[in-house]
Amino acid sequence: MDNRGTRAVIVVGAGMAGLACAVRLHEAGVPVRVLEASDGVGGRVRTDIVDGFRLERGYQVFNTAYPEARRVLDLDALDLRPLASGVIVQGAAGAKARVMLPWRHPLHALSGLLTGLGTPRDDAVLAALTARDLLLPASALRGGPDRRTDDELRAWGMSDRMIDCLMRPFLAGVLLERDLETSSRIFHLFWRSFARGTIGLPALGMGRIPEQLADRLPLGAVTLGARVTEVSPDGVRLADGATVEAPAVVVAADPRVAGELLSEIDVPPMRAVTTFYHAAPRSPVREPIQIIDATGAVTDTLVLTDAAPEYSADGRALVSTSVLGLTTDEGPVRRRLDEIYGDTSGWEHVATYPVPAALPAMRAPYPLRRPVRLRAGLYVCGDHRDTGSLQGALVSGRRAAEAVLDDLPARRAGSLTYVDRAVVRPY
């Protein structure tokens, strides 16, 4: 280990938050060094190539409405492939209902009324809720009372049938929980992003997003296979016993590791999800649309190659299916896929990805901003400091970088008056 860290701010972790922090510091002229314990960048946002298929480490998609992503990423370079602006709700006994955003799909403007998922009043409630979230500034959605999402939907006048048949199965794949105990503020921010943005996949996988950020750092700024075991405002200790000095340290590791390194933070409970990948001779849908499962057997399933053919090297269809919690038992998943798609006996099981810490739980009441400055010279970032999303990870990384930039001149001069300040930006 060399001594370059004596001049560089150290960022522990090369996930989305850590890379966003490092890029902000580098572009402000501050030397930065990222220490990553694993064999690649991205954290939870990684794409593996297995037997010619591009597999995300857990089902993930990109939302173009995230303002921080639009600010820091080159979306054109990602070559995004859009999904349909709507879903197919799969019920029991083969029942299907298509629900589309009418302003994106005029031919399906009456789809909500024709599905039988709810009443005309439910459709009016959903339209009013969506209009409100679209028109109000994000700051207004962050304010006001906070409560469980199911309580919020009922307060708007939505029926239990509409909640159970549409909102609960749809949000299960977003929030990774079916009880709808997530903060209503989080729900409104997410709902606003779905209404405003386009959901899609980078042509070469979600892993292209962290790779794009890493490419903006100087050669050698990211060190892989470097596990940090201790941190302080003055540097870090690595698993091999080496120490690296630094004028400041930002911990951008996943919440569990961050909690082990930093006694000051509370580690949130994490939501788990398991994603199964199957290869089919051809697409059973031939449309890039998400199918959500109202029965709860799975959360959602999608033929990824209907959106991005590049996810398969040999022309076969790649199907992603997710289940809440951790499991390696493919049998129940395959049986449900038979009910959704028809006979899947000719499908190949490519891989299973259990993700124990896919998303921080965001139970109401939920603080939308947690401090990133812990004490002089020591900082933390990650989606557990903001909203549990790609947007939250990127924003928290910028907030941590700006806190470092605020403090660094005085810290280098040897005198720093510590003021705890969370930099709040629009969602």
Side-chain angles (χ1 to χ4, degrees), residues 342-354:
D343 181 20
T344 66
S345 59
W347 292 17
E348 175 190 348
H349 177 211
V350 179
T352 299
Y353 282 80

Side-chain angles (χ1 to χ4, degrees), residues 290-304:
Q290 184 185 30
I291 300 174
I292 61 176
D293 186 5
T295 72
V298 302
T299 57
D300 50 71
T301 181
L302 171 69
V303 182
L304 296 169

Side-chain angles (χ1 to χ4, degrees), residues 256-339:
R256 179 187 60 81
V257 174
E260 293 173 354
L261 295 174
L262 301 168
S263 60
E264 298 96 324
I265 70 169
D266 294 325
V267 179
M270 300 295 288
R271 307 290 190 192
V273 67
T274 302
T275 298
F276 294 82
Y277 288 100
H278 293 92
R282 64 192 63 82
S283 171
V285 179
R286 299 185 183 181
E287 179 185 6
I289 190 167
Q290 184 185 30
I291 300 174
I292 61 176
D293 186 5
T295 72
V298 302
T299 57
D300 50 71
T301 181
L302 171 69
V303 182
L304 296 169
T305 44
D306 283 346
E310 294 87 349
Y311 273 53
S312 171
D314 62 8
R316 285 184 293 168
L318 179 65
V319 184
S320 165
T321 305
S322 293
V323 180
L324 295 186
L326 301 177
T327 180
T328 57
D329 187 359
E330 187 220 1
V333 174
R334 182 68 74 109
R335 287 192 290 273
R336 185 55 176 153
L337 292 179
D338 280 338
E339 296 169 349

